[in-house]
Amino acid sequence: IYDHARREVAHFEKAVVAIEGLSRAELGHLRLAVTPSVAASVLPRVICEFTAGHPQAQIDLRDMDSASIARAMRREQADIGIGTLPETDGLLRTELFRDSFGVVCRTDHPLAQDWDQLTWNDMQDHRFIANGLCHLISDPDFAPILGASRMMVPNSASLLALVRGGVGIVLLPMLAVLDLDAELSFLPLADANAVRVVHMVSRPEMQLMPA
């Protein structure tokens, strides 16, 4: 009963927002749920262009991991989600781009010396810090490295702080580390095809506000 009531209240609140916006001749309320790397690297230019043409649209932007984005979309707490998302009934999913994984380490780390020949085997003798995106990597040679890790840190900012402090090395998609400072390096792997697929999901067009 509680879950049903919560959904009904959410529908009612959304209807009120729509009525208020349309009564003021505005284009509506747009709720975005996106991964932090997309929010930082992709959305600023997109939102700048969007607001230039839709100055009265209300934008609610929240960054979260992909699992949280999927939950927000299922609960109708967001209109558009951008992340690594599964196919879900009732939602439209479009692939936006693919993002290669690489090793992030200190610039003075031994791995950074011969980065153009870096392989999975080279990583095995170094402390590896796991994160929530590691499950996207299916390369069999990565499994022992992940299995030997004794740290799991989901937040990218915390991950990079630990790497900067010399705690260990991590694997992250290139887009997540475009603005690395001079202390850190992003090293592509010579023997890996590990990529993150980033999707956009939304509800069918007839259910979306004009914005």
Side-chain angles (χ1 to χ4, degrees), residues 71-188:
R71 287 193 296 270
M73 294 299 298
R74 288 195 299 267
R75 295 173 180 173
E76 299 189 12
Q77 296 171 340
D79 301 309
I80 294 175
I82 302 178
T84 302
L85 301 161
E87 288 193 43
T88 303
D89 290 341
L91 296 178
L92 303 176
R93 187 180 75 155
T94 304
E95 180 179 326
L96 295 180
F97 58 85
R98 295 177 177 239
D99 196 16
S100 298
F101 280 90
V103 175
V104 180
C105 64
R106 286 177 56 96
T107 303
D108 58 1
H109 192 279
L111 290 180
Q113 307 309 310
D114 296 310
W115 63 268
D116 58 335
Q117 299 297 323
L118 185 62
T119 68
W120 291 119
N121 289 333
D122 295 323
M123 296 174 57
Q124 293 183 0
D125 295 330
H126 301 278
R127 185 184 295 111
F128 179 71
I129 307 171
N131 64 78
L133 296 176
C134 288
H135 73 280
L136 300 176
I137 302 174
S138 58
D139 293 39
D141 291 333
F142 174 63
I145 298 170
L146 181 60
S149 175
R150 293 297 175 263
M151 293 187 68
M152 166 64 77
V153 181
N155 181 273
S156 295
S158 298
L159 276 171
L160 296 179
L162 290 170
V163 175
R164 196 176 288 110
V167 175
I169 62 174
V170 301
L171 280 173
L172 286 173
M174 184 182 297
L175 187 64
V177 292
L178 285 181
D179 297 321
L180 284 180
D181 54 50
E183 290 184 80
L184 301 178
S185 295
F186 177 85
L187 314 176

Side-chain angles (χ1 to χ4, degrees), residues 15-29:
V16 171
V17 170
I19 293 168
E20 290 178 344
L22 293 173
S23 72
R24 293 191 297 266
E26 296 175 350
L27 289 179
H29 183 204

